[in-house]
Amino acid sequence: MAEILKVSNLEKYYGNKDSLTKALDQVSFSVAEGEFAGIMGSSGSGKTTLLNCISTLDSVTSGSIMIRGQEITGLKSRQLAKFRGSALGFMFQDYNLLDTLTGFENIILPLTIHGIPAAVATAKVEAVADRLEIRDVLAHYPYEMSGGQKQRVAAARAIITDPALILADEPTGALDSKSARRLMESLDRLNRNLGATILMVTHDAFTASYCQRILFIKDGKLFNELIRGEDTRKEFFSKIIDVVTLLGGDAANVL
Amino acid sequence: MYFKLSLRNVRKSLSDYTLYFLTLTFGVCMFYVFNSLEAQEVMLSISLSMLEIMHTITKLMNGISIFVSLILGFLIIYANNFLIRRRKREFGLYMTLGMSKHNISRILLCETLIIGVLSLAAGLLMGLFLSQGLSVITARLFEIDMSGYRFIFSLQAFWKTILYFGLIFLIAVSAGTLSISRHSLIELINASKHNETPAVKKPAMTLTLFLLSVLCIGIAYAMVLKYGIATFDRKIVIEGILGSIGTFLFFASLSGAMLGLVQKKPSFYYKGLNLFIMRQINSRINTTYLSMSFICLMLFVTIGIFSTGMGMTGVLNRGYSGVIPFDVSLEVPGADDPWALLAQSGVDLQDYADDFHRFHFYRYDLQALTQGTILKEVADLLPEENAQDIVDRLFPQALDVVALSDYNALMQLRDKQPLALGGSEVALMSQFLWVDADFQSIIEEYVGTDGRLSLGGTPYRVQTEILSEGIVNDSDHLMTLIVPDAVIADCTAVTGALCFNCRGNSAAMQDALTVQLDALIGEGRLPFKEGCVTRNMVQAVMGGSKAIIAFFAIYVGIVFLITSAAVLALQQLSEAADNRQRYEILKKIGADDALIHRTLFKQIAIYFLLPLSLACVHALVGLKVANDVVREVGSLNALQNTLATALLILLVYGAYFLATYYGSKQIMLKNGQRHE
């Protein structure tokens, strides 16, 4: 399968000469098309920095990031915005929905920014809404939705442009367990049925158990890699727990 | 330690709220300048009459100052509340660190004091220099010389400014402290997370409100256009109330109604960030429509004051030499001679001048001669809108006649060419031609088309040249007829008049005469009251009216303008932080910087333009009516004044707008960097 994302020797330093923090240190990995990959690590391990670098929100110190064969570390701000809009889809822990817009308007916004005609865009939003079962909240404002609904609206917004890669940052972080399960099932379906490539950052083992492959990161370095293969989700879950324990995470990081 | 903390906070917020600080400074400056008027008299060589007028103006400005201080007080309290509201979280943080509410109040007091003292000091300093310039303007308005430059400092205005603004700041602090102590810690900490729930209104309801507002404004316009605003009565109050209610309803429902309409056109609504901008404005206007309406009304008043003010001074400015041909003119009713009357009371006019001319105004006995006699010949040229009014009020007024020999003697006194008049010729004199262009064209039409007048059956030709300069000071006759001496045989004297130019220092001489006559009138020894008109008096009244109008326009107009612009700017700047989050999201979903800047620009532009647009429409209607009123005093060159006003507003308002835009952009940029 084709490589969607290829990260090689990525480094990100913070601070100055006197106090240097290596947030990312020689990170290399790749994600293939149609893959559902996860990045796990405890707080401060550098996983969010990694995601920010891939999502072009943050600049890198050295190394290369290729998405669909295009080097993105050297892009100008104008190109970056365009690239972000067309090739990437985002999901965040705090949803990042615009509070002044309805669900429908939130989802359609990436399309209007890219100049898609209203009729085409509307049809597309409705199709995506059906798939994520959020048709009945489309007319509501974010503050009228539950956390799970908000996150599914965010997911709809993330996939509306048919991005090459969906980046999810702790998507279940603010959800209760039931909503979290439902959201992960939705993402799983997106991945299986539509072939969406997803890269998700989480520190929650249950959420991570929906992935096909998990990269563990610790103190800015890749530490381990787990592949689900033919395992059931339960088996995969206990393997993840083992690694998390090995990583030195305490009980709070497990569940 | 508290002081240090306050100082740092002020420094931090000063860069964010420079506009507020500058506005405040300028407000203080205006306040000082217009309260220091009295002290400026020493700079001017002015007559007694002018002194009197100046005192009236000073009193008037003092009254207006109270009003202005209320407006500025509103701005300060509003701004202060705004700043506190935005900083609740910060205060909450102080409290979690163990600070008591009492201490926070102390910090608040310190901060307000620092800002207050800074802006007061800066404003007073600026005012000190600007007030020097005001004397120059005053001298120009009164058409007098400055008696010599002197640096002026008005201690009274100084203390008054400090007292007024000190009080305002105190009230602002108390209001702010109150709003802090009303809230619990958890509310303060979560203040920034608190989601402003937009008042969700049913579209049908919004549309109804919108139509209602248009109806209210429409009725108000119709009433204004129909009844005018010349007389202050119950109708004006109703018009004002209807217009205000309409304005409030308009802003309360506008964005909702617009949103409803635009949403029906998806090709526009779902284009670029249009839907985002519409929603931004809709979400905010629900909470800001009150201030928006006030700003709109204030801008309306500003536009009105500026353009009518400019028009009025323009009219008054058109030189009034024709109205005051002599230093002194005396008039008494009937066949009496002012000279003789004065002599009886012991006044010897020889003390004041060398050359005099005594004459009479006559009434023609053989037929009724009125202003209408002339005007009815050109009645079809009268301006339509007030033709009836002119016929009713002007036509019955008597048309006095003056003998040619008297007229020429007066001309000689002024070293002017005598008037040559044939035996069957009369001349028309009107010293008010310059006031009203319409009137001028009508009269010119009359004399130009071979005007003929029959006196006692004898036809007379009216000379084609209108005599535009008067023969007595400040006459109340619209037109006077100059006739050959022979005609006087058929006349009765109605007014005895006496004119002369003073010798030596004319202004001082006039003052001396006024004092002498006033004393006699006070003792009841002089039979005439208002018959004596000196050049000083007319200049004082004319200059005084100009000064009052000009000062009023500058003072109130500018304070209104900067206050409205400052409130708008303050709202937008303080909300830039909220917007930052939203624009950050837009960036993440693929909007580039250029698009985001464009969107921000549009959003702020719409906020600034909304109240201005409605104010302009209000002003258009208002000015049309105001123009008709002023037309009776003189014609306004409406277009020119409106353009000048527009330019001024565009400059000031535009400057505030641009500062707000760049300020917001910077706030977003700055926070964005901090974010990394």
Side-chain angles (χ1 to χ4, degrees), chain A residues 14 57-58 77-78 81-82 84-85 88 90 92 96-102 104-106 108-110 112-118 121-122 141 143-144 157, chain B residues 195-198 200 259 263 266-276 279-280 282-283 581-583 585-595 598 676:
Chain A
Y14 285 117
L57 293 175
D58 206 346
S77 107
R78 196 105 206 219
K82 198 158 179 200
R84 261 204 299 272
L88 298 177
F90 293 94
F92 304 88
N96 269 347
L97 294 177
L98 287 158
D99 51 350
T100 48
L101 270 55
T102 63
F104 183 87
E105 290 166 349
N106 263 296
I108 205 172
L109 206 55
T112 69
I113 289 176
H114 290 99
I116 312 279
T122 310
Y141 290 93
Y143 64 90
E144 298 168 319
R157 186 180 65 185
Chain B
N195 205 349
E196 208 173 67
T197 44
V200 198
L259 193 67
Q263 273 175 336
S267 58
F268 175 80
Y269 189 63
Y270 295 120
K271 188 170 174 240
L273 287 175
N274 285 353
L275 78 100
F276 174 74
R279 285 292 189 181
Q280 277 289 88
N282 190 45
S283 77
Q581 282 179 338
R582 296 187 181 130
Y583 281 104
I585 296 175
L586 288 183
K587 225 183 240 180
K588 279 176 186 163
I589 60 176
D592 61 36
D593 286 352
L595 182 62
R598 230 168 28 237
E676 265 179 31

Side-chain angles (χ1 to χ4, degrees), chain A residues 176-233:
Chain A
D176 60 85
S177 61
K178 210 173 137 201
S179 302
R181 184 187 294 270
R182 239 182 121 191
L183 177 75
M184 289 320 294
E185 279 164 3
S186 298
L187 286 182
D188 193 42
R189 269 202 305 280
L190 284 180
N191 172 247
R192 281 174 203 283
N193 303 345
L194 297 175
T197 314
I198 304 173
L199 179 63
M200 178 177 71
V201 159
T202 182
H203 69 256
D204 176 44
F206 170 77
T207 306
S209 67
Y210 281 88
C211 299
Q212 288 149 12
R213 183 163 65 113
I214 294 173
L215 300 158
F216 291 89
I217 192 166
K218 186 185 182 184
D219 299 335
K221 289 184 184 168
L222 277 190
F223 173 80
N224 199 352
E225 185 178 11
L226 264 187
I227 298 174
R228 181 164 160 189
E230 296 303 310
D231 289 351
T232 62
R233 208 166 54 72

Side-chain angles (χ1 to χ4, degrees), chain B residues 242-296:
Chain B
L242 266 179
S244 308
I245 290 179
T247 306
F248 280 97
L249 286 179
F250 183 78
F251 284 111
S253 60
L254 173 72
S255 71
M258 285 276 287
L259 193 67
L261 285 179
V262 172
Q263 273 175 336
K264 291 216 169 74
K265 203 171 163 354
S267 58
F268 175 80
Y269 189 63
Y270 295 120
K271 188 170 174 240
L273 287 175
N274 285 353
L275 78 100
F276 174 74
I277 297 175
M278 290 298 296
R279 285 292 189 181
Q280 277 289 88
I281 286 161
N282 190 45
S283 77
R284 214 71 52 70
I285 227 157
N286 281 332
T287 45
T288 56
Y289 79 93
L290 260 180
S291 51
M292 204 138 253
S293 313
F294 272 119
I295 289 168
C296 169

Side-chain angles (χ1 to χ4, degrees), chain A residues 25-90:
Chain A
D25 190 8
Q26 292 291 324
V27 175
S28 302
F29 68 96
S30 63
V31 176
E33 191 177 346
E35 206 178 358
F36 190 168
I39 297 174
M40 279 193 85
S42 53
S43 301
S45 60
K47 57 188 190 313
T48 299
T49 306
L50 176 60
L51 199 71
N52 281 343
C53 287
I54 297 172
S55 62
T56 69
L57 293 175
D58 206 346
S59 61
V60 303
T61 308
S62 74
S64 110
I65 302 171
M66 310 260 277
I67 293 181
R68 250 190 335 212
Q70 188 184 7
E71 177 62 50
I72 59 164
T73 49
L75 288 181
K76 296 263 181 329
S77 107
R78 196 105 206 219
Q79 298 165 306
L80 272 181
K82 198 158 179 200
F83 177 79
R84 261 204 299 272
S86 59
L88 298 177
F90 293 94

Side-chain angles (χ1 to χ4, degrees), chain B residues 476-652:
Chain B
D476 50 1
H477 299 298
L478 183 61
M479 292 181 285
T480 309
L481 206 59
I482 313 293
V483 298
D485 289 11
V487 178
I488 299 301
D490 300 324
C491 295
T492 315
V494 284
T495 309
L498 165 65
C499 295
F500 61 90
N501 282 326
C502 294
R503 83 166 79 87
N505 182 352
S506 173
M509 281 294 198
Q510 292 169 41
D511 278 348
L513 178 66
T514 314
V515 169
Q516 191 180 9
L517 293 188
D518 279 352
L520 287 173
I521 291 169
E523 293 165 26
R525 282 167 55 200
L526 209 60
F528 56 86
K529 276 216 165 89
E530 282 144 5
C532 174
V533 181
T534 66
R535 189 184 296 272
N536 279 353
M537 289 178 191
V538 179
Q539 270 182 343
V541 171
M542 289 277 201
S545 337
K546 270 196 294 183
I548 288 174
I549 294 166
F551 289 171
F552 184 79
I554 295 174
Y555 197 11
V556 177
I558 287 186
V559 166
F560 268 27
L561 185 59
I562 59 173
T563 308
S564 347
V567 169
L568 273 175
L570 218 56
Q571 279 179 349
Q572 288 302 301
L573 281 174
S574 67
E575 270 155 18
D578 283 352
N579 287 338
R580 192 189 64 78
Q581 282 179 338
R582 296 187 181 130
Y583 281 104
E584 202 100 297
I585 296 175
L586 288 183
K587 225 183 240 180
K588 279 176 186 163
I589 60 176
D592 61 36
D593 286 352
L595 182 62
I596 284 181
H597 291 166
R598 230 168 28 237
T599 307
L600 181 69
F601 186 86
K602 277 188 204 162
Q603 189 191 327
I604 296 176
I606 291 175
Y607 261 98
F608 270 76
L609 280 178
L610 275 183
L612 185 65
S613 319
L614 187 60
C616 281
V617 177
H618 281 351
L620 274 181
V621 176
L623 282 182
K624 178 171 179 343
V625 180
N627 227 18
D628 294 342
V629 175
V630 179
R631 199 174 265 278
E632 292 180 7
V633 197
S635 57
L636 284 174
N637 188 345
L639 185 69
Q640 200 183 336
N641 297 322
T642 312
L643 282 182
T645 309
L647 195 72
L648 184 86
I649 289 185
L650 212 69
L651 273 178
V652 176

